[in-house]
Amino acid sequence: MDYGTIAGVDGPVSRIIFGTDRLWSRRQPWLPVPGRERRAFSLLDRAFELGCNSFDTARTYRDGERTLGAWIRTRRIRDDVVVISKGGHPHGSGRPRLSASDVSHDLHASLKALGTDSIDLYLLHYDDPTADVEQVLERLDRHIAEGKIGAIGTSNWAHQRVADANAMAAHNGLNPFAASSVQFSLADWTAPPWPGAVTIGGREQQAAREWYSTRGLSVLAWSSLARGFFSDHYDPTNTDQNAVSRWCATYFDTEENVARRERALVFARENGVTVARVALAYVLRHPLHVFAIVGCTTEAKLADDVGATSLELDEATLRWLDGDASPR
């Protein structure tokens, strides 16, 4: 496992961050299902054994926070893991939820669900251009001073908005955003899968990638494997065969992306690895201060993803995978 640092977070952060959006063990918040909880704990144990010390969750991830928190308490490893959570998601309210009061409400709900006194990195889940960001930053600054948050960041914010917020923070002596979670993978989406989702992939987002690269701001890449596009579950020639293929066909099935997938398959066969490992290595080796969030449901898949941290891709290979006509 490779490790990096995020400003404000104590200790190293694994380059592969385990995502809990598909991790659940309860039908009701107060009632764990024993078999599901055992399977969830086993997967989390394996992640930790493989060197994943960092875990991404959110208020909106079913019972992801409760399951993660229960595992941490049972294993007594709170000081050995990095907990990342998110608040401020509209989650069906029909209105933006990016205010100081909304942020405090969600933070305290997350702390309770996780069963911890602090969250190492707290992200604002979605942006709202009409929000009073100064008030939100002031509230987050207070929670940092209280010891409830180690560092702050954003999820699905355009880089210009992050830049403006950090300039405001600097002017007012407040803690700036230290990380930004956005979609980034070898495949570029055709449209956002969810309203307000933000990507830094594709030629149109070159300026965003350059901004992150020059600022050194940590990037937490979600959907780093394009939600199954680089897996055996997806077949470009039969996109109706299963739910994964149908989803990928809707958001990633373009000639350019299929060609990228084919090149990744060629490289995978030449090097005796999976196509998923190649696609994930593309994200990790990109010239950004990047971490990849992966959501796995099997220990074998998790081990394969972690293997991407040791797969070296030089600059020429990165360009070739992306579609540059130059030879490797």
Side-chain angles (χ1 to χ4, degrees):
M1 176 63 70
D2 288 343
Y3 296 88
T5 59
I6 296 177
V9 175
D10 291 335
V13 179
S14 53
R15 297 283 308 286
I16 298 291
I17 298 173
F18 187 95
T20 67
D21 60 326
R22 286 181 281 177
L23 186 73
W24 63 289
S25 62
R26 301 160 186 247
R27 290 193 181 95
Q28 301 293 337
W30 60 87
L31 185 64
V33 179
R36 288 177 180 170
E37 186 173 67
R38 283 194 298 272
R39 288 192 293 272
F41 280 20
S42 178
L43 188 58
L44 290 166
D45 285 339
R46 184 59 179 147
F48 194 62
E49 290 169 2
L50 289 167
C52 291
N53 73 336
S54 305
F55 300 85
D56 172 85
T57 189
R59 275 280 71 213
T60 57
Y61 292 172
R62 295 187 181 180
D63 68 326
E65 288 181 325
R66 292 182 184 277
T67 301
L68 177 63
W71 172 73
I72 291 171
R73 292 193 304 277
T74 301
R75 301 302 187 253
R76 299 181 179 180
I77 55 171
R78 180 63 187 92
D79 292 340
D80 301 316
V81 296
V82 174
V83 175
I84 304 165
S85 195
K86 300 182 283 293
H89 193 292
H91 54 68
S93 66
R95 66 171 182 84
R97 296 186 62 259
L98 187 59
S99 68
S101 60
D102 288 326
V103 167
S104 289
H105 176 275
D106 284 3
L107 170 63
H108 290 113
S110 290
L111 290 170
K112 182 178 180 180
L114 286 160
T116 186
D117 294 330
S118 65
I119 292 171
D120 300 291
L121 176 61
Y122 193 68
L123 309 179
L124 302 178
H125 209 156
Y126 274 92
D127 192 11
D128 170 20
T130 68
D132 189 331
V133 176
E134 184 174 352
Q135 285 190 1
V136 173
L137 287 171
E138 288 173 348
R139 182 63 60 88
L140 289 170
D141 212 64
R142 182 199 304 175
H143 292 317
I144 291 174
E146 294 168 342
K148 296 175 181 177
I149 301 173
I152 57 174
T154 61
S155 177
N156 295 301
W157 282 42
H159 73 282
Q160 301 97 327
R161 288 280 289 167
V162 178
D164 291 344
N166 278 358
M168 181 187 298
H171 179 75
N172 291 286
L174 302 171
N175 283 282
F177 292 130
S180 173
S181 185
V182 287
Q183 193 278 334
F184 181 53
S185 71
L186 177 56
D188 306 331
W189 70 30
T190 57
W194 300 280
V198 172
T199 185
I200 60 169
R203 293 179 178 84
E204 292 181 357
Q205 297 301 321
Q206 179 65 32
R209 294 194 296 277
E210 290 177 355
W211 183 85
Y212 281 112
S213 180
T214 57
R215 298 305 189 281
L217 197 76
S218 297
V219 172
L220 278 56
W222 60 264
S223 196
S224 49
L225 287 170
R227 294 184 72 86
F229 187 82
F230 298 100
S231 75
D232 295 335
H233 299 294
Y234 177 66
D235 180 0
T237 65
N238 183 14
T239 57
D240 272 336
Q241 67 174 328
N242 55 52
V244 171
S245 284
R246 289 191 292 273
W247 197 94
C248 290
T250 300
Y251 296 105
F252 291 100
D253 191 12
T254 66
E255 288 186 11
E256 283 189 339
N257 283 339
V258 171
R260 290 181 180 116
R261 189 176 188 275
E262 287 302 313
R263 287 190 291 272
L265 280 165
V266 169
F267 188 91
R269 287 193 291 266
E270 291 175 352
N271 291 274
V273 297
T274 65
V275 66
R277 188 177 295 193
V278 176
L280 194 53
Y282 169 88
V283 173
L284 294 171
R285 299 305 172 197
H286 208 276
L288 295 166
H289 187 53
V290 64
F291 302 79
I293 301 172
V294 299
C296 301
T297 56
T298 69
E299 294 181 20
K301 181 65 172 65
L302 179 60
D304 185 57
D305 287 348
V306 170
T309 62
S310 60
L311 182 60
E312 295 293 336
L313 302 178
D314 59 25
E315 186 176 345
T317 301
L318 290 174
R319 291 199 304 268
W320 174 74
L321 286 169
D322 203 25
D324 192 312
S326 302
R328 280 187 283 161

